[in-house]
PDB file of all heavy atoms in Angstrom:
ATOM      1  N   SER A 323      47.047 173.679 -90.762  1.00 96.00           N
ATOM      2  CA  SER A 323      46.574 172.664 -89.899  1.00 96.00           C
ATOM      3  C   SER A 323      45.880 171.557 -90.700  1.00 96.00           C
ATOM      4  O   SER A 323      45.542 171.769 -91.859  1.00 96.00           O
ATOM      5  CB  SER A 323      45.541 173.266 -88.905  1.00 96.00           C
ATOM      6  OG  SER A 323      44.282 173.564 -89.575  1.00 96.00           O
ATOM      7  N   ILE A 324      45.725 170.365 -90.143  1.00 96.00           N
ATOM      8  CA  ILE A 324      45.092 169.309 -90.863  1.00 96.00           C
ATOM      9  C   ILE A 324      43.643 169.602 -91.215  1.00 96.00           C
ATOM     10  O   ILE A 324      43.163 169.264 -92.271  1.00 96.00           O
ATOM     11  CB  ILE A 324      45.190 168.004 -90.021  1.00 96.00           C
ATOM     12  CG1 ILE A 324      44.897 166.769 -90.928  1.00 96.00           C
ATOM     13  CG2 ILE A 324      44.366 168.009 -88.846  1.00 96.00           C
ATOM     14  CD1 ILE A 324      45.967 166.422 -91.909  1.00 96.00           C
ATOM     15  N   GLU A 325      42.965 170.349 -90.307  1.00 96.00           N
ATOM     16  CA  GLU A 325      41.579 170.759 -90.680  1.00 96.00           C
ATOM     17  C   GLU A 325      41.536 171.741 -91.775  1.00 96.00           C
ATOM     18  O   GLU A 325      40.641 171.700 -92.692  1.00 96.00           O
ATOM     19  CB  GLU A 325      40.904 171.374 -89.417  1.00 96.00           C
ATOM     20  CG  GLU A 325      40.662 170.398 -88.345  1.00 96.00           C
ATOM     21  CD  GLU A 325      41.859 170.187 -87.403  1.00 96.00           C
ATOM     22  OE1 GLU A 325      42.935 170.837 -87.657  1.00 96.00           O
ATOM     23  OE2 GLU A 325      41.756 169.335 -86.475  1.00 96.00           O
ATOM     24  N   GLU A 326      42.480 172.615 -91.884  1.00 97.00           N
ATOM     25  CA  GLU A 326      42.567 173.560 -92.990  1.00 97.00           C
ATOM     26  C   GLU A 326      42.872 172.751 -94.307  1.00 97.00           C
ATOM     27  O   GLU A 326      42.337 173.201 -95.393  1.00 97.00           O
ATOM     28  CB  GLU A 326      43.700 174.575 -92.750  1.00 97.00           C
ATOM     29  CG  GLU A 326      43.316 175.598 -91.649  1.00 97.00           C
ATOM     30  CD  GLU A 326      44.484 176.462 -91.304  1.00 97.00           C
ATOM     31  OE1 GLU A 326      45.617 176.067 -91.460  1.00 97.00           O
ATOM     32  OE2 GLU A 326      44.205 177.625 -90.801  1.00 97.00           O
ATOM     33  N   THR A 327      43.653 171.737 -94.216  1.00 98.00           N
ATOM     34  CA  THR A 327      43.908 170.898 -95.446  1.00 98.00           C
ATOM     35  C   THR A 327      42.648 170.323 -95.871  1.00 98.00           C
ATOM     36  O   THR A 327      42.382 170.278 -97.122  1.00 98.00           O
ATOM     37  CB  THR A 327      44.951 169.798 -95.083  1.00 98.00           C
ATOM     38  OG1 THR A 327      46.177 170.326 -94.593  1.00 98.00           O
ATOM     39  CG2 THR A 327      45.239 168.930 -96.300  1.00 98.00           C
ATOM     40  N   VAL A 328      41.803 169.790 -95.007  1.00 98.00           N
ATOM     41  CA  VAL A 328      40.538 169.168 -95.414  1.00 98.00           C
ATOM     42  C   VAL A 328      39.750 170.173 -96.237  1.00 98.00           C
ATOM     43  O   VAL A 328      39.214 169.886 -97.350  1.00 98.00           O
ATOM     44  CB  VAL A 328      39.742 168.709 -94.168  1.00 98.00           C
ATOM     45  CG1 VAL A 328      38.313 168.319 -94.583  1.00 98.00           C
ATOM     46  CG2 VAL A 328      40.422 167.572 -93.499  1.00 98.00           C
ATOM     47  N   ARG A 329      39.529 171.358 -95.737  1.00 98.00           N
ATOM     48  CA  ARG A 329      38.693 172.387 -96.393  1.00 98.00           C
ATOM     49  C   ARG A 329      39.308 172.789 -97.747  1.00 98.00           C
ATOM     50  O   ARG A 329      38.583 172.970 -98.739  1.00 98.00           O
ATOM     51  CB  ARG A 329      38.514 173.563 -95.436  1.00 98.00           C
ATOM     52  CG  ARG A 329      37.833 173.206 -94.169  1.00 98.00           C
ATOM     53  CD  ARG A 329      37.644 174.443 -93.261  1.00 98.00           C
ATOM     54  NE  ARG A 329      37.180 174.057 -91.958  1.00 98.00           N
ATOM     55  CZ  ARG A 329      35.885 173.752 -91.663  1.00 98.00           C
ATOM     56  NH1 ARG A 329      34.987 173.808 -92.639  1.00 98.00           N
ATOM     57  NH2 ARG A 329      35.539 173.402 -90.451  1.00 98.00           N
ATOM     58  N   ARG A 330      40.645 173.025 -97.761  1.00 97.00           N
ATOM     59  CA  ARG A 330      41.278 173.494 -98.976  1.00 97.00           C
ATOM     60  C   ARG A 330      41.226 172.412-100.048  1.00 97.00           C
ATOM     61  O   ARG A 330      40.891 172.648-101.210  1.00 97.00           O
ATOM     62  CB  ARG A 330      42.744 173.795 -98.694  1.00 97.00           C
ATOM     63  CG  ARG A 330      43.515 174.170 -99.932  1.00 97.00           C
ATOM     64  CD  ARG A 330      44.985 174.462 -99.623  1.00 97.00           C
ATOM     65  NE  ARG A 330      45.655 173.326 -98.971  1.00 97.00           N
ATOM     66  CZ  ARG A 330      46.018 172.223 -99.519  1.00 97.00           C
ATOM     67  NH1 ARG A 330      45.869 172.030-100.817  1.00 97.00           N
ATOM     68  NH2 ARG A 330      46.653 171.247 -98.838  1.00 97.00           N
ATOM     69  N   GLU A 331      41.481 171.130 -99.680  1.00 96.00           N
ATOM     70  CA  GLU A 331      41.558 170.102-100.673  1.00 96.00           C
ATOM     71  C   GLU A 331      40.092 169.874-101.273  1.00 96.00           C
ATOM     72  O   GLU A 331      39.980 169.643-102.512  1.00 96.00           O
ATOM     73  CB  GLU A 331      42.047 168.800-100.084  1.00 96.00           C
ATOM     74  CG  GLU A 331      43.545 168.783 -99.898  1.00 96.00           C
ATOM     75  CD  GLU A 331      44.311 168.668-101.187  1.00 96.00           C
ATOM     76  OE1 GLU A 331      43.693 168.256-102.174  1.00 96.00           O
ATOM     77  OE2 GLU A 331      45.507 169.050-101.209  1.00 96.00           O
ATOM     78  N   VAL A 332      39.081 169.863-100.435  1.00 97.00           N
ATOM     79  CA  VAL A 332      37.714 169.695-100.937  1.00 97.00           C
ATOM     80  C   VAL A 332      37.402 170.803-101.920  1.00 97.00           C
ATOM     81  O   VAL A 332      36.810 170.598-103.013  1.00 97.00           O
ATOM     82  CB  VAL A 332      36.742 169.557 -99.816  1.00 97.00           C
ATOM     83  CG1 VAL A 332      35.300 169.500-100.360  1.00 97.00           C
ATOM     84  CG2 VAL A 332      37.002 168.305 -98.968  1.00 97.00           C
ATOM     85  N   ARG A 333      37.695 172.036-101.512  1.00 96.00           N
ATOM     86  CA  ARG A 333      37.421 173.221-102.371  1.00 96.00           C
ATOM     87  C   ARG A 333      38.178 173.147-103.672  1.00 96.00           C
ATOM     88  O   ARG A 333      37.634 173.365-104.767  1.00 96.00           O
ATOM     89  CB  ARG A 333      37.794 174.493-101.615  1.00 96.00           C
ATOM     90  CG  ARG A 333      37.488 175.755-102.334  1.00 96.00           C
ATOM     91  CD  ARG A 333      37.976 176.954-101.574  1.00 96.00           C
ATOM     92  NE  ARG A 333      37.456 177.022-100.232  1.00 96.00           N
ATOM     93  CZ  ARG A 333      38.205 176.906 -99.140  1.00 96.00           C
ATOM     94  NH1 ARG A 333      39.539 176.810 -99.261  1.00 96.00           N
ATOM     95  NH2 ARG A 333      37.638 176.926 -97.938  1.00 96.00           N
TER      96      ARG A 333
END
Side-chain angles (χ1 to χ4, degrees):
S323 72
I324 193 73
E325 292 83 2
E326 289 171 334
T327 302
V328 170
R329 300 180 187 282
R330 175 183 55 77
E331 284 290 338
V332 174
R333 183 184 305 116

